[in-house]
Amino acid sequence: CFSDLPLPGHELPFILSVGDGESEKHRRRTALPEELLYVRDERGPVSPSLSPEHMPPPTRALLTRIPSAPTSLKTLSVKPEPPAPSPILGRKTLARQDSTSPRPVRRGTFILSTGTFLGRSTSTSMEQGLDVSPPQSPPAYRRMTSREENVFSRLTSSTTTQVSEQQMGNGVISSYQGKMALRAPLVCTHVAEGHSRAVLAVAATDDLLFTASRDRTVKVWDLTEGKESQTLSGHPNNVVAVKYDLESRLLFSVSSAYVRVWDLRTSKCLRTLCSSGSSTNGVISGQQIPTGEAQMNDIALNHSGNILYTAASDRVRVWDVRKFAVTGKLSGGHQAAVMCLAVGKLSAHEDIVVTGSKDHYIKVFEVAGEEGGSFSPRVNLEPPHYDGIQSLAIRGHELFSGSRDSIIKKWDLDKQELITSVSNAHKDWVCGLAYIPGQPLLLSVCRGGVLKLWSSETCQLLGEMKAHDSPVNAITTNSSHVFTAANDNTVRLWRLNNRLDMLVNVT
Protein backbone atom coordinates (compact mmCIF):
# COMPACT_ATOMS: atom_id res chain seq x y z
CA CYS A 1 0.00 0.00 0.00
CA PHE A 2 3.08 2.26 0.08
CA SER A 3 3.94 1.69 -3.54
CA ASP A 4 2.08 4.84 -4.76
CA LEU A 5 4.33 7.81 -5.10
CA PRO A 6 2.98 11.08 -3.83
CA LEU A 7 1.91 13.66 -6.28
CA PRO A 8 3.63 17.00 -5.88
CA GLY A 9 1.65 19.39 -3.78
CA HIS A 10 -1.17 16.93 -2.91
CA GLU A 11 -0.83 15.09 0.40
CA LEU A 12 -3.75 13.80 2.46
CA PRO A 13 -3.46 12.49 6.05
CA PHE A 14 -4.94 8.98 6.82
CA ILE A 15 -5.02 6.41 9.67
CA LEU A 16 -3.48 2.96 9.24
CA SER A 17 -4.06 0.10 11.82
CA VAL A 18 -1.06 -2.28 12.35
CA GLY A 19 -1.72 -5.60 14.22
CA ASP A 20 -4.31 -6.39 16.90
CA GLY A 21 -4.48 -4.13 19.91
CA GLU A 22 -1.46 -2.21 18.93
CA SER A 23 -1.41 1.46 18.99
CA GLU A 24 -2.48 3.21 15.84
CA LYS A 25 0.29 4.81 13.86
CA HIS A 26 -0.51 7.97 11.98
CA ARG A 27 1.17 8.38 8.64
CA ARG A 28 0.58 10.50 5.60
CA ARG A 29 0.27 9.31 2.12
CA THR A 30 -0.44 11.01 -1.18
CA ALA A 31 -4.10 11.40 -2.14
CA LEU A 32 -5.34 9.71 -5.23
CA PRO A 33 -6.52 11.87 -8.10
CA GLU A 34 -10.16 10.82 -7.70
CA GLU A 35 -10.08 11.81 -4.05
CA LEU A 36 -9.46 15.39 -4.98
CA LEU A 37 -12.90 15.53 -6.61
CA TYR A 38 -14.77 15.25 -3.28
CA VAL A 39 -14.79 17.13 -0.06
CA ARG A 40 -13.26 15.16 2.80
CA ASP A 41 -15.64 14.34 5.65
CA GLU A 42 -14.03 15.56 8.89
CA ARG A 43 -16.41 13.57 11.16
CA GLY A 44 -14.62 10.21 10.88
CA PRO A 45 -11.64 8.35 9.55
CA VAL A 46 -11.29 7.84 5.90
CA SER A 47 -11.36 4.32 4.60
CA PRO A 48 -8.12 3.15 3.06
CA SER A 49 -10.11 2.20 -0.03
CA LEU A 50 -10.98 5.66 -1.34
CA SER A 51 -12.83 5.00 -4.53
CA PRO A 52 -15.58 7.15 -5.93
CA GLU A 53 -18.13 4.40 -5.27
CA HIS A 54 -17.62 4.62 -1.50
CA MET A 55 -17.58 8.41 -1.32
CA PRO A 56 -20.76 10.30 -0.51
CA PRO A 57 -22.23 12.28 -3.32
CA PRO A 58 -21.21 15.95 -3.44
CA THR A 59 -23.50 18.48 -1.93
CA ARG A 60 -25.09 20.75 -4.56
CA ALA A 61 -25.67 24.34 -3.63
CA LEU A 62 -29.18 25.65 -4.08
CA LEU A 63 -29.17 28.01 -7.05
CA THR A 64 -31.74 30.76 -7.33
CA ARG A 65 -32.31 32.24 -10.81
CA ILE A 66 -32.43 36.00 -10.82
CA PRO A 67 -34.95 37.19 -13.36
CA SER A 68 -33.74 39.74 -15.90
CA ALA A 69 -35.37 43.11 -16.40
CA PRO A 70 -37.73 44.18 -17.71
CA THR A 71 -39.81 41.23 -18.99
CA SER A 72 -39.31 38.80 -16.08
CA LEU A 73 -40.41 41.38 -13.54
CA LYS A 74 -43.94 40.91 -14.78
CA THR A 75 -43.89 37.29 -13.47
CA LEU A 76 -42.93 38.18 -9.90
CA SER A 77 -45.52 37.84 -7.23
CA VAL A 78 -45.23 41.50 -6.32
CA LYS A 79 -45.40 43.68 -9.38
CA PRO A 80 -44.01 47.19 -9.00
CA GLU A 81 -46.39 50.01 -9.72
CA PRO A 82 -45.56 51.61 -13.07
CA PRO A 83 -44.42 55.23 -12.97
CA ALA A 84 -47.01 57.82 -13.81
CA PRO A 85 -46.70 59.35 -17.28
CA SER A 86 -45.32 62.85 -17.66
CA PRO A 87 -48.04 65.48 -17.33
CA ILE A 88 -46.19 67.62 -19.88
CA LEU A 89 -45.45 65.19 -22.67
CA GLY A 90 -48.68 63.24 -22.39
CA ARG A 91 -47.34 60.30 -24.32
CA LYS A 92 -49.06 56.93 -24.63
CA THR A 93 -48.19 54.36 -21.98
CA LEU A 94 -45.76 51.89 -23.49
CA ALA A 95 -44.68 48.49 -22.24
CA ARG A 96 -41.21 49.75 -21.58
CA GLN A 97 -42.58 52.12 -18.94
CA ASP A 98 -42.94 49.04 -16.68
CA SER A 99 -39.20 48.74 -16.58
CA THR A 100 -37.40 50.07 -13.56
CA SER A 101 -34.22 50.61 -15.53
CA PRO A 102 -33.45 54.24 -16.33
CA ARG A 103 -34.33 55.39 -19.79
CA PRO A 104 -31.69 57.31 -21.70
CA VAL A 105 -32.65 60.85 -22.57
CA ARG A 106 -32.64 61.62 -26.26
CA ARG A 107 -29.80 63.89 -27.25
CA GLY A 108 -30.90 67.44 -27.88
CA THR A 109 -34.05 67.15 -25.73
CA PHE A 110 -34.62 69.91 -23.19
CA ILE A 111 -36.81 69.34 -20.12
CA LEU A 112 -38.57 72.46 -18.94
CA SER A 113 -40.76 72.97 -15.94
CA THR A 114 -44.50 72.59 -16.37
CA GLY A 115 -46.32 75.56 -17.83
CA THR A 116 -43.32 77.79 -18.50
CA PHE A 117 -41.41 78.67 -21.67
CA LEU A 118 -38.53 81.12 -21.51
CA GLY A 119 -39.97 82.57 -18.31
CA ARG A 120 -43.49 83.05 -19.73
CA SER A 121 -46.58 81.09 -18.77
CA THR A 122 -47.86 78.80 -21.51
CA SER A 123 -50.12 75.79 -21.82
CA THR A 124 -48.66 74.63 -25.12
CA SER A 125 -47.35 71.06 -25.10
CA MET A 126 -43.61 70.76 -25.08
CA GLU A 127 -43.97 68.05 -27.70
CA GLN A 128 -44.48 70.70 -30.29
CA GLY A 129 -41.44 71.47 -32.35
CA LEU A 130 -39.41 68.43 -31.26
CA ASP A 131 -39.85 66.61 -34.56
CA VAL A 132 -39.90 69.66 -36.80
CA SER A 133 -36.98 69.78 -39.22
CA PRO A 134 -34.64 72.69 -38.63
CA PRO A 135 -34.56 75.41 -41.28
CA GLN A 136 -32.04 75.11 -44.06
CA SER A 137 -28.74 76.81 -43.58
CA PRO A 138 -28.24 80.03 -45.54
CA PRO A 139 -26.30 79.80 -48.74
CA ALA A 140 -22.62 80.33 -48.58
CA TYR A 141 -21.41 83.92 -49.17
CA ARG A 142 -20.32 84.89 -52.60
CA ARG A 143 -19.38 88.14 -54.22
CA MET A 144 -22.65 89.46 -55.50
CA THR A 145 -21.39 92.32 -57.62
CA SER A 146 -19.35 90.35 -60.13
CA ARG A 147 -21.14 89.96 -63.43
CA GLU A 148 -18.77 87.28 -64.62
CA GLU A 149 -19.79 84.17 -66.48
CA ASN A 150 -22.19 81.85 -64.63
CA VAL A 151 -21.69 83.71 -61.37
CA PHE A 152 -25.39 84.47 -60.98
CA SER A 153 -26.57 80.89 -61.41
CA ARG A 154 -24.64 79.46 -58.47
CA LEU A 155 -26.86 80.29 -55.56
CA THR A 156 -30.26 80.69 -57.16
CA SER A 157 -33.03 78.14 -57.01
CA SER A 158 -36.53 77.99 -58.41
CA THR A 159 -38.05 77.58 -54.94
CA THR A 160 -36.47 80.75 -53.59
CA THR A 161 -37.44 82.71 -56.66
CA GLN A 162 -41.06 81.57 -56.62
CA VAL A 163 -41.41 82.58 -52.98
CA SER A 164 -39.81 85.97 -53.52
CA GLU A 165 -41.99 86.72 -56.56
CA GLN A 166 -45.13 85.81 -54.66
CA GLN A 167 -44.22 88.12 -51.78
CA MET A 168 -43.49 91.14 -53.96
CA GLY A 169 -45.94 94.01 -53.97
CA ASN A 170 -46.13 97.26 -55.86
CA GLY A 171 -43.02 99.37 -55.54
CA VAL A 172 -43.07 102.91 -54.23
CA ILE A 173 -40.71 105.84 -54.62
CA SER A 174 -40.66 107.60 -51.26
CA SER A 175 -38.82 110.61 -49.91
CA TYR A 176 -35.46 109.96 -48.29
CA GLN A 177 -35.63 110.41 -44.51
CA GLY A 178 -31.96 110.06 -43.62
CA LYS A 179 -29.41 112.73 -42.86
CA MET A 180 -26.86 113.92 -45.39
CA ALA A 181 -23.49 115.55 -44.83
CA LEU A 182 -23.20 119.20 -45.85
CA ARG A 183 -20.11 118.55 -47.96
CA ALA A 184 -21.53 115.49 -49.72
CA PRO A 185 -21.27 115.85 -53.52
CA LEU A 186 -24.82 114.53 -53.98
CA VAL A 187 -28.01 114.85 -51.97
CA CYS A 188 -30.34 111.86 -51.78
CA THR A 189 -33.94 112.90 -52.45
CA HIS A 190 -35.89 109.65 -52.90
CA VAL A 191 -35.63 105.87 -52.54
CA ALA A 192 -37.29 103.34 -54.86
CA GLU A 193 -38.29 100.20 -52.95
CA GLY A 194 -40.05 97.15 -54.33
CA HIS A 195 -37.54 94.51 -55.30
CA SER A 196 -37.09 91.52 -53.01
CA ARG A 197 -33.41 91.02 -53.84
CA ALA A 198 -30.37 93.00 -54.98
CA VAL A 199 -30.77 95.46 -57.86
CA LEU A 200 -28.10 94.69 -60.46
CA ALA A 201 -28.77 97.16 -63.29
CA VAL A 202 -30.56 100.44 -63.87
CA ALA A 203 -31.58 102.64 -66.82
CA ALA A 204 -33.56 105.89 -66.94
CA THR A 205 -35.23 108.49 -69.09
CA ASP A 206 -36.64 111.77 -67.86
CA ASP A 207 -40.01 110.13 -67.12
CA LEU A 208 -39.27 106.44 -66.55
CA LEU A 209 -36.90 104.38 -64.43
CA PHE A 210 -36.02 100.75 -65.19
CA THR A 211 -34.48 98.42 -62.61
CA ALA A 212 -33.25 94.84 -63.06
CA SER A 213 -32.86 92.61 -60.04
CA ARG A 214 -31.65 89.32 -58.70
CA ASP A 215 -35.31 88.47 -58.01
CA ARG A 216 -35.60 87.79 -61.77
CA THR A 217 -37.82 90.74 -62.53
CA VAL A 218 -37.60 94.11 -64.24
CA LYS A 219 -39.61 96.95 -62.77
CA VAL A 220 -40.78 100.02 -64.62
CA TRP A 221 -41.23 103.13 -62.46
CA ASP A 222 -43.16 106.29 -63.24
CA LEU A 223 -40.96 109.15 -62.03
CA THR A 224 -43.80 111.64 -62.33
CA GLU A 225 -46.21 109.76 -60.07
CA GLY A 226 -43.47 108.22 -57.93
CA LYS A 227 -44.58 104.59 -58.10
CA GLU A 228 -44.08 101.33 -59.95
CA SER A 229 -46.11 101.00 -63.14
CA GLN A 230 -45.14 97.54 -64.43
CA THR A 231 -43.33 94.38 -63.35
CA LEU A 232 -41.86 92.15 -66.06
CA SER A 233 -41.30 88.69 -64.58
CA GLY A 234 -40.57 85.16 -65.72
CA HIS A 235 -36.84 85.51 -66.44
CA PRO A 236 -34.88 82.24 -66.16
CA ASN A 237 -32.28 83.73 -63.83
CA ASN A 238 -30.94 86.99 -62.43
CA VAL A 239 -31.51 89.99 -64.68
CA VAL A 240 -28.05 91.52 -65.12
CA ALA A 241 -28.65 94.30 -67.68
CA VAL A 242 -31.52 96.45 -68.93
CA LYS A 243 -31.76 98.98 -71.78
CA TYR A 244 -34.67 101.02 -73.18
CA ASP A 245 -35.30 102.64 -76.55
CA LEU A 246 -37.54 105.68 -76.17
CA GLU A 247 -38.58 105.87 -79.82
CA SER A 248 -39.75 102.26 -80.26
CA ARG A 249 -40.75 101.83 -76.60
CA LEU A 250 -38.96 98.49 -76.55
CA LEU A 251 -37.25 97.29 -73.41
CA PHE A 252 -34.33 94.82 -73.50
CA SER A 253 -33.51 92.69 -70.45
CA VAL A 254 -30.63 90.22 -70.09
CA SER A 255 -30.97 87.00 -68.10
CA SER A 256 -28.94 83.82 -68.43
CA ALA A 257 -28.06 83.36 -72.14
CA TYR A 258 -30.98 85.36 -73.50
CA VAL A 259 -32.18 88.88 -74.23
CA ARG A 260 -35.90 89.41 -73.88
CA VAL A 261 -37.52 92.14 -75.96
CA TRP A 262 -40.58 93.66 -74.24
CA ASP A 263 -43.29 95.90 -75.60
CA LEU A 264 -44.20 98.21 -72.73
CA ARG A 265 -47.54 99.06 -74.32
CA THR A 266 -48.73 95.49 -73.77
CA SER A 267 -46.21 94.29 -71.12
CA LYS A 268 -45.54 91.22 -73.27
CA CYS A 269 -42.32 89.62 -74.44
CA LEU A 270 -42.19 89.95 -78.23
CA ARG A 271 -38.99 88.08 -78.90
CA THR A 272 -36.17 86.21 -77.22
CA LEU A 273 -32.65 86.64 -78.62
CA CYS A 274 -30.16 83.85 -77.88
CA SER A 275 -26.43 84.21 -77.35
CA SER A 276 -25.80 81.79 -80.22
CA GLY A 277 -27.40 84.19 -82.70
CA SER A 278 -30.83 82.60 -83.04
CA SER A 279 -34.14 84.12 -81.97
CA THR A 280 -37.58 82.81 -81.14
CA ASN A 281 -41.05 84.10 -80.46
CA GLY A 282 -42.14 84.33 -76.84
CA VAL A 283 -40.04 83.25 -73.89
CA ILE A 284 -37.57 80.46 -73.18
CA SER A 285 -37.77 78.83 -69.77
CA GLY A 286 -35.21 76.76 -67.88
CA GLN A 287 -32.37 77.71 -65.57
CA GLN A 288 -29.68 75.62 -67.22
CA ILE A 289 -27.82 77.19 -70.13
CA PRO A 290 -28.16 74.84 -73.13
CA THR A 291 -25.19 73.55 -75.07
CA GLY A 292 -24.06 76.10 -77.61
CA GLU A 293 -25.23 79.06 -75.55
CA ALA A 294 -23.23 81.23 -73.15
CA GLN A 295 -23.93 83.60 -70.29
CA MET A 296 -24.70 87.12 -71.47
CA ASN A 297 -23.02 89.86 -69.49
CA ASP A 298 -24.04 93.16 -71.10
CA ILE A 299 -25.90 94.80 -73.98
CA ALA A 300 -25.81 98.25 -75.60
CA LEU A 301 -27.99 100.16 -78.06
CA ASN A 302 -26.59 102.56 -80.63
CA HIS A 303 -27.74 106.16 -80.95
CA SER A 304 -30.59 105.33 -83.36
CA GLY A 305 -31.91 102.38 -81.37
CA ASN A 306 -31.88 100.15 -84.45
CA ILE A 307 -28.70 98.23 -83.61
CA LEU A 308 -28.20 96.13 -80.50
CA TYR A 309 -24.82 94.79 -79.36
CA THR A 310 -24.74 91.72 -77.10
CA ALA A 311 -21.73 90.43 -75.17
CA ALA A 312 -21.74 86.71 -74.38
CA SER A 313 -18.54 84.97 -73.30
CA ASP A 314 -15.74 86.46 -75.48
CA ARG A 315 -18.07 87.15 -78.43
CA VAL A 316 -19.96 90.31 -79.37
CA ARG A 317 -22.82 90.06 -81.88
CA VAL A 318 -24.54 92.80 -83.87
CA TRP A 319 -28.36 92.63 -84.11
CA ASP A 320 -30.80 94.50 -86.30
CA VAL A 321 -33.64 95.23 -83.90
CA ARG A 322 -36.16 95.78 -86.70
CA LYS A 323 -35.61 92.22 -87.97
CA PHE A 324 -34.54 90.59 -84.67
CA ALA A 325 -31.69 89.01 -86.61
CA VAL A 326 -27.88 88.98 -86.37
CA THR A 327 -26.18 91.07 -89.03
CA GLY A 328 -22.56 90.84 -87.89
CA LYS A 329 -20.03 90.11 -85.16
CA LEU A 330 -16.91 91.62 -83.65
CA SER A 331 -14.04 89.22 -84.32
CA GLY A 332 -10.37 89.08 -83.40
CA GLY A 333 -11.23 90.35 -79.97
CA HIS A 334 -10.65 89.10 -76.45
CA GLN A 335 -9.23 85.99 -74.81
CA ALA A 336 -11.76 86.05 -71.95
CA ALA A 337 -15.36 87.05 -71.31
CA VAL A 338 -16.47 90.53 -72.36
CA MET A 339 -17.96 92.13 -69.23
CA CYS A 340 -19.07 95.60 -70.44
CA LEU A 341 -19.86 97.55 -73.58
CA ALA A 342 -19.95 101.24 -74.52
CA VAL A 343 -21.26 102.62 -77.83
CA GLY A 344 -20.64 106.05 -79.32
CA LYS A 345 -21.51 107.77 -82.58
CA LEU A 346 -19.03 108.23 -85.40
CA SER A 347 -21.53 109.13 -88.11
CA ALA A 348 -25.18 108.64 -88.97
CA HIS A 349 -24.53 105.04 -90.05
CA GLU A 350 -21.39 104.14 -88.12
CA ASP A 351 -20.81 103.37 -84.45
CA ILE A 352 -17.74 103.23 -82.29
CA VAL A 353 -17.99 100.19 -80.00
CA VAL A 354 -15.71 99.75 -76.97
CA THR A 355 -15.41 96.37 -75.24
CA GLY A 356 -13.95 95.68 -71.79
CA SER A 357 -12.94 92.14 -70.88
CA LYS A 358 -11.73 89.98 -68.05
CA ASP A 359 -8.47 89.64 -69.98
CA HIS A 360 -7.65 93.20 -68.72
CA TYR A 361 -7.81 94.72 -72.21
CA ILE A 362 -10.02 97.34 -73.87
CA LYS A 363 -10.63 97.13 -77.62
CA VAL A 364 -12.17 99.70 -79.95
CA PHE A 365 -14.22 98.80 -83.05
CA GLU A 366 -15.69 100.90 -85.84
CA VAL A 367 -18.92 99.23 -86.88
CA ALA A 368 -21.34 99.91 -89.71
CA GLY A 369 -24.10 97.90 -88.10
CA GLU A 370 -26.64 98.12 -90.89
CA GLU A 371 -24.15 96.80 -93.46
CA GLY A 372 -23.26 93.76 -91.39
CA GLY A 373 -20.26 91.49 -91.61
CA SER A 374 -17.28 90.74 -89.40
CA PHE A 375 -15.47 93.63 -87.78
CA SER A 376 -11.92 93.60 -86.43
CA PRO A 377 -10.69 95.94 -83.66
CA ARG A 378 -9.31 99.25 -84.78
CA VAL A 379 -7.10 99.57 -81.73
CA ASN A 380 -6.15 97.69 -78.60
CA LEU A 381 -5.69 100.27 -75.85
CA GLU A 382 -2.37 100.05 -74.02
CA PRO A 383 -1.29 99.69 -71.27
CA PRO A 384 -3.99 97.34 -70.00
CA HIS A 385 -5.50 97.29 -66.54
CA TYR A 386 -4.13 94.91 -63.91
CA ASP A 387 -7.48 93.11 -63.61
CA GLY A 388 -10.80 92.67 -65.42
CA ILE A 389 -12.74 95.65 -66.77
CA GLN A 390 -16.06 96.23 -65.00
CA SER A 391 -17.38 99.53 -66.40
CA LEU A 392 -17.00 101.95 -69.33
CA ALA A 393 -18.27 105.48 -70.02
CA ILE A 394 -17.91 107.23 -73.40
CA ARG A 395 -18.53 110.83 -74.45
CA GLY A 396 -17.33 111.92 -77.87
CA HIS A 397 -13.67 110.95 -78.24
CA GLU A 398 -13.26 110.63 -74.46
CA LEU A 399 -13.41 107.26 -72.70
CA PHE A 400 -13.21 106.29 -69.02
CA SER A 401 -12.66 102.72 -67.83
CA GLY A 402 -13.10 101.23 -64.35
CA SER A 403 -11.56 97.95 -63.30
CA ARG A 404 -11.36 95.40 -60.54
CA ASP A 405 -7.86 96.74 -59.87
CA SER A 406 -9.52 99.85 -58.29
CA ILE A 407 -8.06 102.06 -61.03
CA ILE A 408 -9.89 104.53 -63.27
CA LYS A 409 -8.26 105.40 -66.59
CA LYS A 410 -9.01 108.19 -69.06
CA TRP A 411 -8.36 107.52 -72.76
CA ASP A 412 -8.30 109.67 -75.90
CA LEU A 413 -9.90 107.61 -78.65
CA ASP A 414 -8.75 109.92 -81.44
CA LYS A 415 -5.11 109.70 -80.39
CA GLN A 416 -5.57 106.10 -79.17
CA GLU A 417 -3.57 106.76 -76.04
CA LEU A 418 -3.87 106.88 -72.27
CA ILE A 419 -4.29 110.37 -70.81
CA THR A 420 -4.54 109.76 -67.05
CA SER A 421 -4.50 106.77 -64.74
CA VAL A 422 -5.94 107.29 -61.25
CA SER A 423 -4.51 104.60 -58.99
CA ASN A 424 -6.53 103.60 -55.94
CA ALA A 425 -9.49 105.59 -57.20
CA HIS A 426 -11.56 103.32 -54.97
CA LYS A 427 -10.74 100.74 -52.34
CA ASP A 428 -12.69 98.05 -54.18
CA TRP A 429 -13.92 97.11 -57.66
CA VAL A 430 -15.09 100.08 -59.74
CA CYS A 431 -18.52 98.76 -60.69
CA GLY A 432 -20.04 101.76 -62.48
CA LEU A 433 -19.19 104.98 -64.31
CA ALA A 434 -21.56 107.70 -65.58
CA TYR A 435 -21.37 111.22 -66.91
CA ILE A 436 -23.57 113.99 -65.57
CA PRO A 437 -25.35 115.44 -68.63
CA GLY A 438 -24.32 118.91 -69.61
CA GLN A 439 -21.45 119.16 -67.13
CA PRO A 440 -17.80 118.07 -67.14
CA LEU A 441 -18.40 115.70 -64.27
CA LEU A 442 -17.92 111.96 -63.91
CA LEU A 443 -19.44 109.72 -61.24
CA SER A 444 -17.98 106.43 -60.09
CA VAL A 445 -19.28 103.78 -57.67
CA CYS A 446 -17.59 100.77 -56.16
CA ARG A 447 -18.37 97.53 -54.42
CA GLY A 448 -17.68 99.17 -51.07
CA GLY A 449 -20.78 101.38 -51.41
CA VAL A 450 -18.80 104.60 -51.99
CA LEU A 451 -19.69 107.18 -54.65
CA LYS A 452 -17.13 109.67 -55.94
CA LEU A 453 -17.42 112.76 -58.11
CA TRP A 454 -14.59 113.64 -60.52
CA SER A 455 -13.77 116.39 -62.95
CA SER A 456 -13.85 114.70 -66.34
CA GLU A 457 -11.33 117.22 -67.68
CA THR A 458 -8.64 117.10 -65.00
CA CYS A 459 -9.57 113.81 -63.23
CA GLN A 460 -9.51 115.74 -59.97
CA LEU A 461 -11.59 114.33 -57.11
CA LEU A 462 -14.33 116.82 -56.22
CA GLY A 463 -16.10 114.87 -53.51
CA GLU A 464 -16.98 111.47 -52.14
CA MET A 465 -19.62 109.94 -49.90
CA LYS A 466 -21.09 106.67 -48.65
CA ALA A 467 -24.03 106.14 -51.01
CA HIS A 468 -25.20 102.74 -49.71
CA ASP A 469 -24.30 100.45 -46.83
CA SER A 470 -23.99 97.59 -49.35
CA PRO A 471 -22.19 97.16 -52.68
CA VAL A 472 -23.35 99.48 -55.47
CA ASN A 473 -23.82 97.53 -58.69
CA ALA A 474 -24.73 100.20 -61.22
CA ILE A 475 -25.21 103.93 -61.77
CA THR A 476 -26.98 106.01 -64.43
CA THR A 477 -28.24 109.55 -64.94
CA ASN A 478 -30.97 111.54 -66.66
CA SER A 479 -31.28 115.28 -67.12
CA SER A 480 -32.13 115.91 -63.46
CA HIS A 481 -31.14 112.96 -61.26
CA VAL A 482 -28.54 110.32 -60.55
CA PHE A 483 -29.66 106.74 -59.86
CA THR A 484 -27.66 104.13 -57.93
CA ALA A 485 -28.61 100.46 -57.67
CA ALA A 486 -27.32 98.41 -54.75
CA ASN A 487 -27.46 95.09 -52.96
CA ASP A 488 -29.83 96.51 -50.32
CA ASN A 489 -32.71 95.93 -52.82
CA THR A 490 -33.17 99.65 -53.40
CA VAL A 491 -32.43 102.35 -55.95
CA ARG A 492 -31.61 105.79 -54.62
CA LEU A 493 -32.29 109.04 -56.45
CA TRP A 494 -29.76 111.86 -56.09
CA ARG A 495 -29.23 115.44 -57.22
CA LEU A 496 -26.13 117.58 -57.18
CA ASN A 497 -25.43 119.50 -54.01
CA ASN A 498 -26.07 123.19 -54.67
CA ARG A 499 -22.85 124.22 -52.93
CA LEU A 500 -20.85 121.82 -55.07
CA ASP A 501 -22.62 123.06 -58.19
CA MET A 502 -21.48 126.59 -57.38
CA LEU A 503 -17.94 125.34 -56.84
CA VAL A 504 -17.91 123.61 -60.21
CA ASN A 505 -19.19 126.73 -62.00
CA VAL A 506 -16.50 128.86 -60.38
CA THR A 507 -13.84 126.35 -61.35
Side-chain angles (χ1 to χ4, degrees), residues 15-166:
I15 303 173
L16 177 63
S17 301
V18 181
D20 295 334
E22 296 182 4
S23 62
E24 294 181 350
K25 296 182 180 180
H26 298 271
R27 296 187 182 181
R28 304 179 67 87
R29 78 172 177 85
T30 304
L32 296 176
E34 55 267 26
E35 296 173 346
L36 299 177
L37 300 178
Y38 304 97
V39 182
R40 180 175 180 271
D41 191 0
E42 299 292 344
R43 293 174 294 179
V46 180
S47 172
S49 177
L50 299 176
S51 62
E53 293 83 358
H54 298 86
M55 297 296 294
T59 303
R60 298 188 60 182
L62 181 61
L63 299 179
T64 302
R65 186 175 183 271
I66 300 176
S68 61
T71 305
S72 61
L73 290 177
K74 300 178 182 180
T75 61
L76 297 179
S77 58
V78 179
K79 185 175 180 179
E81 183 179 355
S86 171
I88 300 177
L89 299 181
R91 299 186 176 183
K92 296 181 179 180
T93 304
L94 303 177
R96 61 180 298 179
Q97 286 182 333
D98 295 336
S99 173
T100 58
S101 60
R103 183 183 304 171
V105 179
R106 184 173 59 182
R107 181 175 298 178
T109 301
F110 297 91
I111 302 176
L112 301 180
S113 59
T114 305
T116 60
F117 178 69
L118 296 180
R120 301 178 182 178
S121 177
T122 176
S123 60
T124 304
S125 172
M126 295 306 299
E127 186 74 9
Q128 296 180 0
L130 292 179
D131 297 328
V132 178
S133 300
Q136 297 180 355
S137 59
Y141 172 77
R142 68 179 179 87
R143 295 177 175 175
M144 294 178 288
T145 57
S146 172
R147 298 192 306 176
E148 57 189 343
E149 184 175 3
N150 292 332
V151 70
F152 295 115
S153 60
R154 295 179 183 174
L155 296 179
T156 56
S157 62
S158 58
T159 303
T160 304
T161 303
Q162 292 174 0
V163 173
S164 61
E165 289 184 359
Q166 292 174 359

Side-chain angles (χ1 to χ4, degrees), residues 401-415:
S401 61
S403 171
R404 299 181 183 183
D405 59 10
S406 306
I407 297 175
I408 295 177
K409 291 186 176 184
K410 180 182 179 182
W411 309 84
D412 189 323
L413 296 180
D414 289 341
K415 298 179 180 180

Side-chain angles (χ1 to χ4, degrees), residues 257-258 273-278 292-296 310 312 315 317 319:
Y258 312 106
L273 313 180
C274 304
S275 63
S276 59
S278 62
E293 305 290 347
Q295 171 74 40
M296 280 199 184
T310 61
R315 301 181 298 273
R317 299 188 184 274
W319 297 77

